[in-house]
Amino acid sequence: MARTYRYARPSIAVDIVVLTIRHEVLQVLLIRRGIEPFKGKWALPGGFVRVEGGRSGLGESLDAAARRELREETNLDVDEVWLEQLHAFGAPARDPRGRVISVAYLAVVSPERFGQVAAATDADDTRWVPADDPPALAFDHPEILAFALGHLRRRLDQDPRMAFHLVPRELTIGDLRRVYEIIERTTYDKANFRRRFLRLVDEGKIERVAGQQATGGRPAAVYRLVE
Amino acid sequence: MARTYRYARPSIAVDIVVLTIRHEVLQVLLIRRGIEPFKGKWALPGGFVRVEGGRSGLGESLDAAARRELREETNLDVDEVWLEQLHAFGAPARDPRGRVISVAYLAVVSPERFGQVAAATDADDTRWVPADDPPALAFDHPEILAFALGHLRRRLDQDPRMAFHLVPRELTIGDLRRVYEIIERTTYDKANFRRRFLRLVDEGKIERVAGQQATGGRPAAVYRLVE
DNA sequence: CCAAAAGTGTTCTCACTACACCCATGT
DNA sequence: ACATGGGTGTAGTGAGAACACTTTTGG
């Protein structure tokens, strides 16, 4: 035990890039800082990892810290969120308070599930803003946000599960296509996108559910992600 | 400054999964621990991040710590190494000395460039071992190694730069094919692999250099990665 | 009827596969 | 001569792009 103490120690934090799609725009959740440093500026939700207390006396895991901060700061139903570690940011001067290393997380939530946060949208201290055009951010949070967006865009094709957390649990093919188009900032041919989607049905990853959904045109078939 | 100190702090370490191909096998570099805990056991090279001293008084970045540890523990020419952050491991009890969070790195070196390490291969305390069949490892290093191998195999196709760090600077198509076959644990049709490779030449990522290389059969054309 | 969005069909291209074959070198 | 690996040619398959078309709803 003693050996560890020969080394100076940093503080360790988690910062969470919470993304959703609102009003056809990819948005990120920000919190206005109430204390120094960067008081009054916008920042990603996050906080320090607890490294003592709890069952083991050694605190919580990084994932647990991310989930806890998310719950405390955003009122999200954390169990419904896609949460994934991104990268550790450790530039020596990234925090004016001293040496703080931050482990960044990506959280992806669907519009239907952020009810509690939506309520806070009007609040002065919590706000959804366009992810590609955020206000000035505290610390190195611009870098973290850019990393998260790059990650999301790279991963979207490879792992469709992430995209499914941005749509309602029961979705139409058009719903999913709009998510892809907004994130990738392109358009997809609806016939070709449909065929790609239907392959996932063949593979058993998605199943059709009964009923239809009104759309403004012909009603659409409804699908659901298979657990 | 004071605010930071309200929170207990963990120690923060870097651990590096150094991979190369020797004798047609993917191998990882291990170090035998000379001190407790896990004294006498094999472990990944690594150590604590310096968070004081240096120019800023705040210590070194995570990347710098990884490079420094790599240099100190392996004698590698660190400038020639592909180094990439993988993941932060922060389970509360992963280190018996107390709360230690480790940021894992992947380092990829080519056989032609590990001269100094090769010398140490016979040493009692530094050894290359098959990456898919390592001895018992200290801490959560089995998990870190598995993560690194998964990462390497997933990334290999998407970013050919990584593979190029496993071959000599001047290489034949066959050299690269053998690297892919060893890592992916399959075989590739040589004609088809060749065409895939030649597309990289068309794209300007690789260029042909003068001369040929003896191979045991017909001599092979020599290529080089364009900086 | 018309707009809007779902859903179908057809064609082209391109990459990856498999496999047969030719070429240049060492022994 | 023959084994060995580099290098070439070709036909098949499957995914994606492009685009014209039909279907079903709401207004």
Side-chain angles (χ1 to χ4, degrees):
Chain A
M1 197 73 173
R3 180 142 254 120
T4 307
Y5 288 90
R6 287 175 42 195
Y7 297 86
R9 300 151 134 205
S11 297
I12 179 130
V14 290
D15 287 308
I16 307 145
V17 179
V18 189
L19 297 176
T20 198
I21 290 178
R22 296 178 67 212
H23 316 310
E24 311 273 289
V25 176
L26 184 65
Q27 302 207 328
V28 59
L29 188 67
L30 299 182
I31 292 184
R32 192 196 288 274
R33 289 182 60 79
I35 56 171
E36 292 294 345
F38 296 105
K39 182 168 176 176
K41 276 227 173 182
W42 294 98
L44 300 171
F48 290 102
V49 176
R50 294 186 180 153
V51 299
E52 15 182 68
R55 225 177 326 154
S56 63
L58 291 162
E60 62 197 347
S61 72
L62 298 173
D63 288 6
R67 259 179 219 286
R68 178 181 52 73
E69 289 289 349
L70 202 53
R71 187 175 49 244
E72 290 177 5
E73 298 206 326
T74 68
N75 276 327
L76 278 167
D77 178 358
V78 178
D79 298 331
E80 293 290 338
V81 171
W82 173 273
L83 191 69
E84 187 181 2
Q85 192 195 115
L86 286 175
H87 193 80
F89 290 82
R94 59 176 293 283
D95 190 316
R97 289 169 292 187
R99 190 68 197 265
V100 180
I101 284 156
S102 171
V103 179
Y105 278 79
L106 172 63
V108 165
V109 304
S110 99
E112 86 173 340
R113 301 170 208 178
F114 61 53
Q116 308 95 319
V117 178
T121 298
D122 296 331
D124 188 46
D125 60 345
T126 304
R127 188 167 295 178
W128 291 105
V129 306
D132 288 308
D133 185 27
L137 297 177
F139 305 105
D140 56 355
H141 289 186
E143 190 188 344
I144 295 176
L145 175 58
F147 189 98
L149 293 174
H151 179 88
L152 174 69
R153 292 187 167 120
R154 275 193 308 276
R155 286 290 181 292
L156 195 62
D157 271 343
Q158 300 162 34
D159 189 352
R161 285 177 302 164
M162 206 186 288
F164 281 95
H165 285 261
L166 284 164
V167 290
R169 207 185 311 280
E170 307 219 319
L171 68 143
T172 68
I173 299 180
D175 288 340
L176 194 68
R177 182 163 56 88
R178 273 179 289 277
V179 165
Y180 273 74
E181 289 180 344
I182 289 165
I183 295 176
E184 308 271 25
R185 291 175 293 190
T186 41
T187 57
Y188 290 101
D189 180 278
K190 91 187 126 119
N192 299 330
F193 189 91
R194 166 169 249 274
R195 274 184 283 265
R196 217 168 80 187
F197 182 93
L198 290 178
R199 245 200 311 288
L200 296 177
V201 179
D202 281 348
E203 293 167 7
K205 295 178 181 169
I206 294 168
E207 63 186 4
R208 178 127 188 223
V209 303
Q212 299 187 325
Q213 198 170 103
T215 63
R218 171 173 170 176
V222 180
Y223 296 86
R224 181 175 54 190
L225 187 61
V226 175
E227 330 296 320
Chain B
M1 195 74 173
R3 182 143 252 122
T4 307
Y5 287 90
R6 287 174 43 193
Y7 297 86
R9 300 151 133 204
S11 297
I12 179 129
V14 289
D15 287 308
I16 307 145
V17 179
V18 190
L19 297 176
T20 198
I21 290 178
R22 297 181 53 195
H23 317 311
E24 311 273 289
V25 176
L26 184 64
Q27 304 207 327
V28 60
L29 188 67
L30 299 181
I31 292 184
R32 192 196 288 273
R33 288 183 59 80
I35 57 170
E36 293 294 346
F38 297 105
K39 181 169 176 175
K41 275 227 174 181
W42 295 99
L44 300 172
F48 291 102
V49 176
R50 294 185 180 155
V51 298
E52 12 182 72
R55 227 178 324 154
S56 64
L58 291 163
E60 62 197 346
S61 72
L62 299 172
D63 287 7
R67 261 181 216 287
R68 177 181 53 73
E69 289 289 348
L70 202 54
R71 188 175 49 243
E72 289 176 7
E73 297 205 326
T74 69
N75 277 325
L76 279 168
D77 178 357
V78 179
D79 298 330
E80 294 289 338
V81 172
W82 173 274
L83 192 68
E84 186 181 4
Q85 192 195 114
L86 286 176
H87 194 79
F89 290 82
R94 59 175 294 281
D95 189 315
R97 289 168 292 187
R99 191 67 198 266
V100 180
I101 284 157
S102 171
V103 179
Y105 277 79
L106 171 63
V108 165
V109 305
S110 99
E112 87 174 338
R113 301 170 210 177
F114 61 52
Q116 308 93 320
V117 179
T121 298
D122 297 331
D124 187 45
D125 60 345
T126 305
R127 190 166 294 177
W128 291 106
V129 307
D132 288 308
D133 185 26
L137 297 179
F139 306 103
D140 56 356
H141 289 186
E143 189 188 344
I144 295 176
L145 175 57
F147 189 99
L149 293 174
H151 179 89
L152 174 69
R153 292 186 168 123
R154 275 192 310 274
R155 286 290 182 291
L156 195 63
D157 270 345
Q158 301 164 32
D159 188 353
R161 286 177 302 165
M162 205 185 288
F164 281 94
H165 285 261
L166 284 164
V167 291
R169 207 185 311 277
E170 306 220 319
L171 69 143
T172 68
I173 299 180
D175 289 340
L176 194 68
R177 182 162 58 89
R178 274 179 287 278
V179 165
Y180 273 74
E181 290 181 339
I182 289 165
I183 295 176
E184 308 271 26
R185 292 176 292 190
T186 42
T187 57
Y188 290 100
D189 181 279
K190 86 187 133 132
N192 299 331
F193 189 90
R194 165 168 250 276
R195 273 184 283 264
R196 217 168 78 185
F197 181 93
L198 290 179
R199 244 200 312 288
L200 296 178
V201 178
D202 280 347
E203 293 167 8
K205 295 179 181 168
I206 295 167
E207 62 186 5
R208 179 130 187 220
V209 303
Q212 300 188 324
Q213 197 172 102
T215 62
R218 171 173 168 177
V222 179
Y223 295 86
R224 181 176 53 190
L225 187 60
V226 174
E227 329 298 320

